[in-house]
Amino acid sequence: MGKLLYWIVEIIAKIHNRLLMLNDAYEYNFSDKELHFLIIGALGMAMIFVVHPVFKWLAKHGHVMVISWIYVFTMIIVITFAIEIGQRVTHTGTMEFADIMFGVMGFICMFLVFLVIRGVYHLILNAMEHWLKK
């Protein structure tokens, strides 16, 4: 997972450098804040056009738990990064990707346990429902 995070950061850095190069090459002279406004705004809208139909389809087909998981997983990523950045700023700890990975893996492992318990619960409910119909 560490390699994945570093790979993502590397791709973002390359995209960032490319956008700065385009800004300079075409002499738009956008400030860093203006570039963030434009790029993040456009990225957010692109994500809406992809995510909304997917979530609509998932909800229509009864997969609300998947939507919940995606939302919570995203929030866990944001929270773990915020904690690590906070530790660096306040000097209350060291900022490490390993901490982020372990936090995310903790959520994934606990969610898998939850899925097993939920699966057994639904299995029992379905068996009881089937048994009561006889």
Side-chain angles (χ1 to χ4, degrees):
M1 182 127 171
K3 287 181 182 179
L4 174 67
L5 289 174
Y6 279 111
W7 180 74
I8 291 170
V9 168
E10 188 176 305
I11 288 174
I12 291 171
K14 285 180 182 179
I15 292 170
H16 184 261
N17 289 338
R18 177 78 175 147
L19 290 170
L20 289 176
M21 188 182 77
L22 289 171
N23 186 43
D24 293 341
Y26 292 103
E27 297 179 3
Y28 287 128
N29 297 321
F30 289 121
S31 71
D32 189 50
K33 287 169 185 42
E34 291 168 332
L35 282 170
H36 276 87
F37 177 86
L38 293 169
I39 301 303
I40 300 301
L43 178 64
M45 289 310 299
M47 290 172 69
I48 284 288
F49 292 130
V50 172
V51 170
H52 182 69
V54 170
F55 279 19
K56 231 172 136 176
W57 183 88
L58 287 167
K60 183 179 178 183
H61 291 87
H63 298 293
V64 178
M65 180 59 76
V66 175
I67 297 169
S68 299
W69 187 87
I70 291 169
Y71 177 77
V72 171
F73 182 75
T74 304
M75 291 305 299
I76 291 295
I77 297 287
V78 169
I79 290 167
T80 55
F81 269 92
I83 289 169
E84 290 304 305
I85 292 167
Q87 285 181 342
R88 174 139 189 194
V89 170
T90 62
H91 304 292
T92 57
T94 56
M95 187 172 156
E96 298 180 47
F97 274 120
D99 293 346
I100 295 167
M101 290 177 0
F102 274 85
V104 171
M105 290 307 295
F107 167 67
I108 290 172
C109 289
M110 290 181 195
F111 187 77
L112 289 173
V113 170
F114 165 76
L115 282 181
V116 169
I117 293 168
R118 184 175 184 258
V120 169
Y121 171 77
H122 283 289
L123 189 66
I124 291 169
L125 280 183
N126 288 341
M128 287 175 55
E129 214 174 79
H130 180 71
W131 182 73
L132 290 174
K133 284 183 181 179
K134 287 185 175 185

